């Protein structure tokens, strides 16, 4: 099979053969997230969420669960916006998570833009109240967004550990069946380790990361795929040393994306690579950032007018062929040079592969295969 037919025109290809059946799991790999301006309310969501539903996405990062959103004044709880949003997302077929975050203006014990470590009773009450209110609707709760980002300049891993422990205890008291997530920016595993050692040990059920910078190296064709593929193994190695009982907790990339200014096709290729390597290394879910252009990037699957980009079609193609719960089989060497990632997909065996810099070559298969351009979903049957 001519190598360039698979990898030159589209850079990426999905190769199909065989059949299989896939059982449903608790959480699938294909998630979506949003910036603030596209996620303030059900009305914001309605501008773009139906297009996410249309391609098979089922996991939504979070509704408007921040402290200031649900308790704008001390002791005054506001639920109408969040309830309407959660009901709408559920009606669209999405399982929605939540973020425990914020420091409302009325909390005068802590400076704005810091972890509320000087008012833990109020923080704990917020956590127990919002988790209890959302019981049965929200199962997974992240604690903060990519710390040490959005924390005080002098705040330490120990400060975040205090927030985590307080949140974990309050959340479990309100909903014993919920899951609480430990977070860090990028792939800052050293920070996670410091937080665990500072007191968060045993007080989390999953871990969230946002490895934008690592993906950028892959997108820019620096040959850094191996760095991306070692994110989860490195986390597990750290957990084995510092918190063995949590060694196998799910790892979720609650944000990951590519700026479309690198090129619309480049963004689409980045998405294919990101999901492929994330699933292969055991990431439980990737919430692509983001669904529609808003106050970041631009990074959307849709532009700010709701028009789809190639990345939107690429994700549609991946979900169509891999299914909601693909099983990673392993990798194969193509001509002893490039790697093909092999999965048991929705109906068939699927191999995803790419080349750098439009290089050409030939790959020979023992039987006929179907070649799919994931950006257009056009298929070609091999001889």
């Amino acid at each position: 099979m001519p190598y360039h037919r698979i990898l030159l025109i589209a850079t990426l290809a999905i190769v199909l053969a065989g059949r299989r059946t896939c059982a449903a799991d608790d959480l699938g790999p294909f998630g979506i997230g949003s910036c603030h301006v596209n996620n303030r309310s059900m009305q914001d969501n309605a501008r773009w969420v139906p297009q996410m539903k249309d391609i098979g996405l089922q996991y939504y990062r979070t509704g408007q669960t921040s402290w200031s959103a649900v308790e704008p004044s001390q002791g005054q709880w506001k639920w109408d916006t969040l309830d309407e949003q959660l009901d709408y997302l559920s009606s669209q077929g999405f399982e929605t998570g939540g973020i425990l975050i914020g420091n409302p203006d009325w909390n005068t014990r802590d400076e704005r833009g810091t972890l509320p470590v000087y008012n833990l009773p109020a923080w704990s009450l917020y956590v127990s109240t919002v988790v209890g209110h959302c019981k049965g609707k929200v199962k997974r709760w992240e604690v903060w967004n990519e710390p040490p980002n959005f924390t005080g300049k002098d705040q330490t891993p120990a400060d975040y550990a205090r927030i985590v422990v307080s949140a974990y205890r309050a959340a479990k008291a309100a909903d014993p069946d919920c899951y609480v997530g430990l977070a860090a920016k990028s792939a800052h595993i050293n920070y996670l380790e410091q937080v665990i050692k500072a007191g968060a040990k045993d007080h989390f059920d999953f871990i969230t990361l946002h490895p934008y910078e690592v993906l950028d190296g892959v997108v820019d064709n620096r040959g850094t795929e191996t760095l991306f593929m070692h994110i989860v193994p490195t986390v597990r190695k750290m957990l084995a040393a510092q918190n063995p009982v949590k060694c196998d907790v799910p790892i979720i990339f609650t944000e990951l994306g590519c700026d479309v200014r690198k090129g619309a096709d480049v963004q689409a290729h980045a998405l294919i690579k990101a999901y492929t390597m994330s699933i292969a290394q055991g990431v439980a879910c990737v919430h692509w950032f983001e669904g529609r252009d808003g106050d970041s990037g631009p990074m959307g699957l849709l532009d700010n007018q709701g028009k789809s980009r190639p990345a939107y079609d690429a994700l549609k193609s991946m979900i169509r062929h891999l299914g909601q719960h693909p099983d990673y089989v392993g990798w194969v060497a193509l001509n002893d040079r490039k790697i093909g990632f092999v999965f048991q997909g929705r109906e068939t065996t699927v191999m995803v592969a790419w080349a750098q810099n439009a290089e050409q070559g030939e790959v020979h298969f023992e039987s006929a295969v179907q070649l799919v351009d994931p950006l257009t979903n056009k298929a070609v049957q091999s001889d």
Side-chain angles (χ1 to χ4, degrees):
M1 177 61 56
Y3 198 44
H4 70 276
R5 286 182 63 190
I6 305 175
L7 303 174
L8 175 59
I9 297 175
T11 305
L12 308 164
I14 298 176
V15 183
L16 308 168
R19 296 187 62 83
R20 54 102 51 194
T21 301
C22 184
D25 296 319
D26 184 49
L27 185 65
F30 299 109
I32 195 69
S34 174
C35 68
H36 176 69
V37 300
N38 286 322
N39 195 40
R40 296 165 298 186
S41 65
M42 179 274 285
Q43 289 76 19
D44 287 343
N45 296 152
R47 293 197 303 266
W48 60 279
V49 165
Q51 288 167 275
M52 304 299 109
K53 175 186 177 183
D54 287 346
I55 61 173
L57 288 167
Q58 297 181 351
Y59 304 99
Y60 195 87
R61 184 189 180 189
T62 182
Q64 192 58 259
T65 60
S66 70
W67 192 357
S68 59
V70 300
E71 193 184 8
S73 300
Q74 187 171 15
Q76 300 297 314
W77 300 93
K78 181 179 182 296
W79 302 113
D80 53 335
T81 299
L82 177 59
D83 288 346
E84 187 177 41
Q85 187 179 32
L86 292 178
D87 288 344
Y88 173 75
L89 291 168
S90 178
S91 75
Q92 296 295 303
F94 283 89
E95 177 181 318
T96 305
I99 298 181
L100 302 170
I101 189 170
N103 195 349
D105 291 340
W106 57 260
N107 175 28
T108 58
R109 296 187 182 183
D110 296 277
E111 294 181 9
R112 302 283 70 72
T114 67
L115 298 165
V117 292
Y118 294 111
N119 201 350
L120 289 178
W123 164 260
S124 180
L125 178 62
Y126 149 64
V127 172
S128 63
T129 304
V130 71
V131 171
H133 181 83
C134 295
K135 184 176 181 180
K137 294 183 178 181
V138 176
K139 183 186 298 183
R140 293 175 181 82
W141 296 91
E142 303 172 54
V143 182
W144 221 255
N145 182 52
E146 56 187 39
N149 291 345
F150 313 108
T151 71
K153 65 178 182 178
D154 296 321
Q155 290 190 311
T156 67
D159 290 316
Y160 178 56
R162 293 175 66 193
I163 294 296
V164 169
V165 172
S166 178
Y168 184 88
R169 291 171 177 168
K172 294 292 186 177
D175 180 5
D177 296 324
C178 76
Y179 303 123
V180 177
L182 190 67
K185 71 174 185 177
S186 186
H188 201 340
I189 299 169
N190 287 342
Y191 182 81
L192 290 174
E193 182 176 42
Q194 293 170 36
V195 171
I196 290 170
K197 293 171 70 174
K201 182 178 180 180
D202 296 335
H203 291 85
F204 60 94
D205 304 304
F206 63 94
I207 285 174
T208 74
L209 296 170
H210 295 174
Y212 288 104
E213 298 86 348
V214 187
L215 179 61
D216 281 343
V218 176
V219 173
D220 295 338
N221 287 321
R222 300 175 196 160
T224 56
E225 283 86 346
T226 185
L227 296 179
F228 193 94
M229 287 292 296
H230 276 80
I231 296 172
V232 170
T234 304
V235 173
R236 302 225 181 276
K237 183 176 180 180
M238 180 274 291
L239 291 174
Q242 302 298 339
N243 202 166
V245 72
K246 299 293 185 178
C247 188
D248 296 322
V249 298
I251 297 170
I252 303 173
F253 294 165
T254 51
E255 283 186 29
L256 188 60
C258 177
D259 197 316
V260 77
R261 287 173 292 191
K262 291 177 178 287
D265 283 359
V266 171
Q267 182 198 39
H269 298 159
L271 181 146
I272 295 280
K273 294 175 183 180
Y275 275 100
T276 297
M277 293 190 292
S278 295
I279 299 168
Q281 67 181 294
V283 176
C285 187
V286 177
H287 293 275
W288 189 256
F289 188 87
E290 57 185 327
R292 175 171 168 155
D293 284 352
D295 55 20
S296 303
M299 303 179 75
L301 300 177
L302 313 175
D303 66 17
N304 60 11
Q305 300 300 312
K307 182 179 178 180
S308 65
R309 294 189 168 115
Y312 177 86
D313 297 312
L315 187 51
K316 177 181 180 179
S317 185
M318 287 203 83
I319 296 171
R320 174 182 175 182
H321 293 295
L322 289 176
Q324 295 293 342
H325 302 280
D327 292 330
Y328 178 57
V329 176
W331 57 270
V332 295
L334 304 176
N335 294 345
D336 297 322
R337 297 181 62 193
K338 298 301 177 183
I339 300 299
F341 296 90
V342 182
F343 305 88
Q344 293 294 340
R346 182 172 61 89
E347 295 180 345
T348 66
T349 302
V350 179
M351 184 175 74
V352 186
W354 55 87
Q356 295 176 352
N357 302 320
E359 65 178 299
Q360 299 186 19
E362 291 189 355
V363 178
H364 298 276
F365 297 94
E366 294 182 356
S367 59
V369 297
Q370 186 182 50
L371 312 178
V372 180
D373 176 352
L375 275 62
T376 65
N377 205 40
K378 292 181 179 178
V380 177
Q381 195 73 24
S382 73
D383 299 329

